Amino acid sequence: MRELGGDRITEAVAGCVAALRPAVARDWTEVRAGGLDWNCHETAVHVADDLVAYAANLAGRAQDAYVPFELRLDDGTDNSGLLHVIETTGALLAATVRTTSRHVRAFHPYPFRSADRVGFAGMGIAEVLLHTHDMTQGLGLPYQPAEELAESVLAHLFPHVQPGPTPWQTLLWATGRGELPGRAPVTQWRWNNNLVIPAERLDLVGIRPAEARDLRLGGDGGFEWTDGGPYEGTRDAAGFLLKAYEGGVHRPEFGVFALVRREDGRAIGGMGFHSVPDEDGRVEIGYDLTEAARGNGYATEALRALADWASARDDVRSLFATIEAANTPSQAVVTRAGFTKVSEDEEGLAFELRAK
């Protein structure tokens, strides 16, 4: 899988600079940037400010707030100089993404108060693509980024948005900048970085649609797996996630998580929800581990963390799991996690945990 990383940031920034350079002789302070309240100069400064802020938060491992500084141009900086600032801040973010471990997370408020290097890359690219669109609209310049870039942003940061006719058209619609046939206009929007639920020895790392697609096609989803992984159950779950995404019904917080061991950063299995909670607040879970990771209590630990997270929500009243009668190790996992057997039939044993 080609990760959303430094090379993509560089590509997006190069496209921005190439699109805007023909208008460097104009007064950008006098031209409104598309549908924004900012003029083109303010918008360009905002792009550069976001790029360096994302680089700083990721490099500085910020945990509770943005690193407290703000970009300020030297007096007299012209538009050519401003484009150079965008190139430079883009290069800083690209370098930071390339040199940061996948497992590092740093502060960003939306929606779960953290993002990894892929998330910061995606946010930087989104800022560049969307605001270049705004500025070129105001300046009357042509601009069309690569569809692959727009598709990557959607599949990493907009898991709740159903893919449309073309990725770029869909991204513009999803951010209130365009229309899609059959869909209502978007007036408020927010991207979604993936959820990570910590457990004692591992993290449950939310799998994005782009990663789910790679897993379903036989790839590693961008994770480093222990020997024998990922297990077929994780690939199947990724396929269901991808189907929900393509159908426009995926809710990322009720998706699939890779179980990533902290001591070595390796993924050892998958765990997640079969769907969103039903009208009674009942949600079904499933999981698997690679053979090399079994027998160490990881599944129980992860299931307890997932159950605690879900039970704290207002829309979850009970968790449910169905296990084959012959799968006694899995039955032991749910029992140790606090589930109780509620029924048994030819399809297996049903276990339930009621939210507190």
Side-chain angles (χ1 to χ4, degrees):
M1 181 182 74
R2 185 185 177 193
E3 185 178 90
L4 192 62
D7 290 348
R8 299 287 187 92
I9 296 169
T10 301
E11 179 184 349
V13 169
C16 165
V17 172
L20 294 173
R21 195 173 296 283
V24 292
R26 296 177 59 182
D27 185 352
W28 290 4
T29 66
E30 296 296 323
V31 180
R32 184 177 175 182
L36 303 182
D37 292 332
W38 296 330
N39 61 47
C40 288
H41 183 272
E42 292 169 324
T43 305
V45 173
H46 170 79
V47 170
D49 193 33
D50 274 347
L51 291 171
V52 73
Y54 292 158
N57 265 31
L58 187 57
R61 312 298 195 258
Q63 294 301 305
D64 300 311
Y66 284 108
V67 176
F69 76 97
E70 186 174 358
L71 178 74
R72 186 181 66 82
L73 300 181
D74 287 345
D75 292 342
T77 300
D78 61 12
N79 292 334
S80 292
L82 179 49
L83 290 182
H84 190 199
V85 173
I86 290 176
E87 287 179 308
T88 302
T89 53
L92 289 172
L93 178 57
T96 304
V97 167
R98 290 189 185 105
T99 57
T100 299
S101 167
R102 177 188 174 89
H103 314 294
V104 168
R105 296 188 75 85
F107 174 80
H108 189 277
Y110 305 134
F112 304 116
R113 299 187 66 77
S114 74
D116 60 6
R117 70 184 187 192
V118 174
F120 278 105
M123 291 186 292
I125 292 168
E127 294 283 356
V128 171
L129 299 186
L130 294 169
H131 288 315
T132 302
H133 165 79
D134 298 331
M135 290 183 282
T136 53
Q137 268 204 323
L139 293 164
L141 298 171
Y143 177 65
Q144 177 70 42
E147 291 289 348
E148 186 182 3
L149 267 180
E151 182 180 25
S152 292
V153 169
L154 286 167
H156 284 89
L157 291 184
F158 292 83
H160 54 294
V161 172
Q162 182 180 20
T166 67
W168 179 231
Q169 183 183 8
T170 304
L171 182 59
L172 291 177
W173 169 82
T175 57
R177 289 171 167 84
E179 298 181 355
L180 278 186
R183 301 196 196 183
V186 172
T187 56
Q188 291 185 323
W189 63 275
R190 185 173 289 175
W191 52 50
N192 280 265
N193 281 293
N194 62 333
L195 172 64
V196 174
I197 301 173
E200 184 178 349
R201 294 172 295 167
L202 48 80
D203 292 314
L204 287 75
V205 180
I207 295 175
R208 305 170 175 98
E211 296 157 344
R213 181 181 293 114
D214 186 66
L215 284 167
R216 194 69 193 105
L217 292 174
D220 58 15
F223 297 94
E224 184 179 357
W225 294 84
T226 55
D227 293 342
Y231 201 60
E232 193 59 34
T234 298
R235 296 197 187 279
D236 290 342
F240 291 127
L241 185 160
L242 189 60
K243 184 177 180 180
Y245 168 65
E246 292 172 345
V249 295
H250 176 51
R251 282 176 58 186
E253 67 269 35
F254 287 104
V256 183
F257 300 84
L259 307 183
V260 179
R261 196 164 51 194
R262 279 198 212 103
E263 67 177 15
D264 58 5
R266 290 178 176 267
I268 60 173
M271 180 174 291
F273 302 96
H274 289 197
S275 64
V276 300
D278 64 19
E279 59 185 10
D280 296 320
R282 185 170 177 266
V283 61
E284 187 170 1
I285 58 97
Y287 53 88
D288 64 36
L289 287 182
T290 60
E291 291 187 12
R294 294 173 188 172
N296 295 287
Y298 289 126
T300 300
E301 178 183 324
L303 184 54
R304 284 173 177 159
L306 185 66
D308 287 346
W309 175 86
S311 298
R313 295 177 59 94
D314 293 336
D315 53 355
V316 175
R317 296 180 183 174
S318 65
L319 287 87
F320 185 77
T322 302
I323 301 172
E324 295 177 355
N327 192 349
T328 53
S330 190
Q331 294 169 33
V333 167
V334 295
T335 300
R336 287 194 297 267
F339 287 66
T340 57
K341 188 173 72 172
V342 293
S343 67
E344 182 176 355
D345 57 27
E346 63 276 3
E347 294 186 2
L349 284 66
F351 292 81
E352 185 180 40
L353 175 66
R354 291 195 170 274
K356 298 177 182 179

